Every structure is written in C-alpha cells, then in structure tokens.
Amino acid sequence: MKKIYKYIFPCFLFFLLSSCVTTGFNDFYKPWYEENYFPEESYLKDQEIPEIIQTSDLDSKFREVSSNWYWCIGYSGFNGAELDNSEITQALTNLCNEKKAKIAIWSKEYTDTRNGVYSVPQTNYHSYTNSSGYLSSYTTTTYSTHSYSVQRYDFSSYLFVSIPDEYKIIYIPGFSTCDLTEHDREIYKQNTGCLINIVYKNTTAYYANLFHGDIITNINGTKILSANDFSEFRKNAEFGDKWKITIVRNGIEKIIELTYTLY
C-alpha cells in the first residue's frame, strides 16, 4: 500500500489536469462523413506521410487548404494541458494514418491556469518490544502537501483528403456556396443571398476575383435568395455561358462577369 499511495495520487492529478492531450485528438474526433465516403484516390496512401500544419488562424487556414482542392472529413477539439509541438504532431500523424487523411491543421488557444494543492498519504511503520518481550508493530499515516499550476489550452484540428480531378467539375465555375447563417447575417448585414465560402485556386472564379464572404444576389437577372437558388440556376447552365453576377461585398453591390467554365 505504501507504493500505491505514493504514485496513484500524482498520476490521478496529472490525468485530471492534462485531459490526455496525446490521445485527445483521437478521443474527441468527430467525422463529418461515413468511412470511405469519398473516392479511394482521395485518401492517404500506404507509406504516404500526412502533412501536419500549425496555425494561429484556423478559419483562414481551413479556407486556404480547401481552396487547394481538399475536402474536410472531420474535426477534433478538446481542452487540456500544454504539450510541446512534437507530441501534438505525432498524435495528429497517428490520427491521419488511422483516418487516411492527407492533411491536418491545428491550433491551440490559452484558456486558463489551474492552481491548487493536493495531499499524498505516507504510511509510517513502527516497531517496539511489548511487556511480554515480543516484537510488535503499528503504523501511522502522515500527509505531505504539494501545489500545482497547470496552463490549459483549447486544441482544435481539421482533417482533409484531396479532391480528384474528375470531381472538381462539381464546383464549376470554381467556388462552393452555403446559406447565410444568423451569424453571417449579423456580420454582413445581409439577410438573403448565397454566401461564397471557398474559392478554388486557378479557376475561372479565382481569376474573376470572387472571394470568400461575397454574397451572390443575382445572376443574369435571376434573383438568388439562397444556396438552393444558386444550385437550381447552375443545373440549367451550359459550358461557355456568360454569367453576370451581382454580389454584395463589404455592404456594396458589385458586378462580376465570367464564363461558365472551370478553368
């Protein structure tokens, strides 16, 4: 019992404060799609080494990686004690190998410092000669007090697989869209329209200078009130069509003209 008391309390304290950063990325991973949802060629190959990227701006890095023709397949986030970058890199490399992701981006943000004290029991053994002349023993317990101070961080990571060439046409003329959320409406001061969230590099949309955050409101005289409106308009489009797109950028309407092609 002496050895158990000596080690179990510090170990329990470390577990409580650390949240196991080395395994946290795996334990708290949330897939966005079913396993092997994307084409086989999208995933990490045997013997291929995933790329692990640290960033201080996760949202911007997410868009940058996506714009280089990658799909995000899942997210991991948790709070734990700080570890060095090499341990985090190894943990994410292991996760990428397991999920067959080619790229992982991650960031950490300081949240708080936890201070406190804990006591470790120490068993003391005593012996004496009793009145009958026999050797007897007894034990007493004392406690040693220790203090701790642990900095904690929010850790976040996204995993990506590549978009094969034959699937890039899905995003013609070179961007992906989504509906405006309530948060978006507050930021952009715009209630209706279709938000451009990713502009893929070296595409028609890229060279037409469309950007993340542009809100499409009209194409060739057709009102675009939502992402579904845009999808319906694109269903009827043909390669080579000329598009005259009305967007709202920073609260100001702007006209973008482009040809309906990918490159």
Side-chain angles (χ1 to χ4, degrees), residues 231-249:
S231 296
E232 289 299 317
F233 183 89
R234 186 165 58 180
K235 284 180 182 178
N236 298 315
E238 296 182 359
F239 286 100
D241 285 352
K242 302 299 181 181
W243 281 14
K244 189 174 183 179
I245 308 173
T246 302
I247 63 168
V248 177
R249 178 184 296 170

Side-chain angles (χ1 to χ4, degrees), residues 13-27:
L13 178 69
F14 174 79
F15 174 81
L16 180 65
L17 295 174
S18 70
S19 295
C20 297
V21 174
T22 52
T23 60
F25 286 107
N26 190 295
D27 292 342

Side-chain angles (χ1 to χ4, degrees), residues 112-127:
D112 65 292
T113 299
R114 299 188 185 181
N115 301 300
V117 296
Y118 65 96
S119 297
V120 177
Q122 177 71 45
T123 302
N124 305 296
Y125 296 88
H126 310 275
S127 60

Side-chain angles (χ1 to χ4, degrees), residues 59-60 62-64 67 174-178 184 187-188 194-200 205-206 209-215 247-250:
D59 289 342
S60 293
F62 181 98
R63 292 192 296 272
E64 178 186 339
S67 71
F175 58 82
S176 61
T177 63
C178 63
D184 292 332
I187 292 176
Y188 300 115
C194 172
L195 180 68
I196 295 177
N197 56 2
I198 301 294
V199 177
Y200 295 96
Y206 179 84
N209 288 320
L210 286 168
F211 288 94
H212 160 77
D214 287 345
I215 300 171
I247 63 168
V248 177
R249 178 184 296 170
N250 299 324

Side-chain angles (χ1 to χ4, degrees), residues 96-227:
C96 283
N97 286 327
E98 179 183 339
K99 306 302 179 182
K100 298 186 289 186
K102 292 189 175 185
I103 294 178
I105 62 173
W106 68 274
S107 69
K108 65 179 181 180
E109 183 177 353
Y110 171 77
T111 56
D112 65 292
T113 299
R114 299 188 185 181
N115 301 300
V117 296
Y118 65 96
S119 297
V120 177
Q122 177 71 45
T123 302
N124 305 296
Y125 296 88
H126 310 275
S127 60
Y128 66 97
T129 302
N130 60 27
S131 58
S132 300
Y134 295 104
L135 185 65
S136 297
S137 63
Y138 66 96
T139 62
T140 60
T141 301
T142 57
Y143 294 86
S144 57
T145 301
H146 305 267
S147 62
Y148 63 84
S149 178
V150 178
Q151 292 184 333
R152 295 180 66 86
Y153 293 79
D154 280 339
F155 293 87
S156 301
S157 178
Y158 292 97
L159 272 58
F160 296 84
V161 298
S162 61
I163 303 176
D165 288 342
E166 61 267 32
Y167 288 84
K168 293 178 180 179
I169 197 171
I170 297 172
Y171 302 104
I172 185 171
F175 58 82
S176 61
T177 63
C178 63
D179 283 323
L180 291 163
T181 65
E182 190 61 38
H183 182 63
D184 292 332
R185 293 185 182 97
E186 292 177 2
I187 292 176
Y188 300 115
K189 306 305 178 186
Q190 179 81 18
N191 286 326
T192 61
C194 172
L195 180 68
I196 295 177
N197 56 2
I198 301 294
V199 177
Y200 295 96
K201 290 184 177 178
N202 303 319
T203 61
T204 299
Y206 179 84
Y207 289 114
N209 288 320
L210 286 168
F211 288 94
H212 160 77
D214 287 345
I215 300 171
I216 300 172
T217 59
N218 192 293
I219 305 176
N220 293 350
T222 300
K223 289 184 178 181
I224 305 297
L225 302 178
S226 65

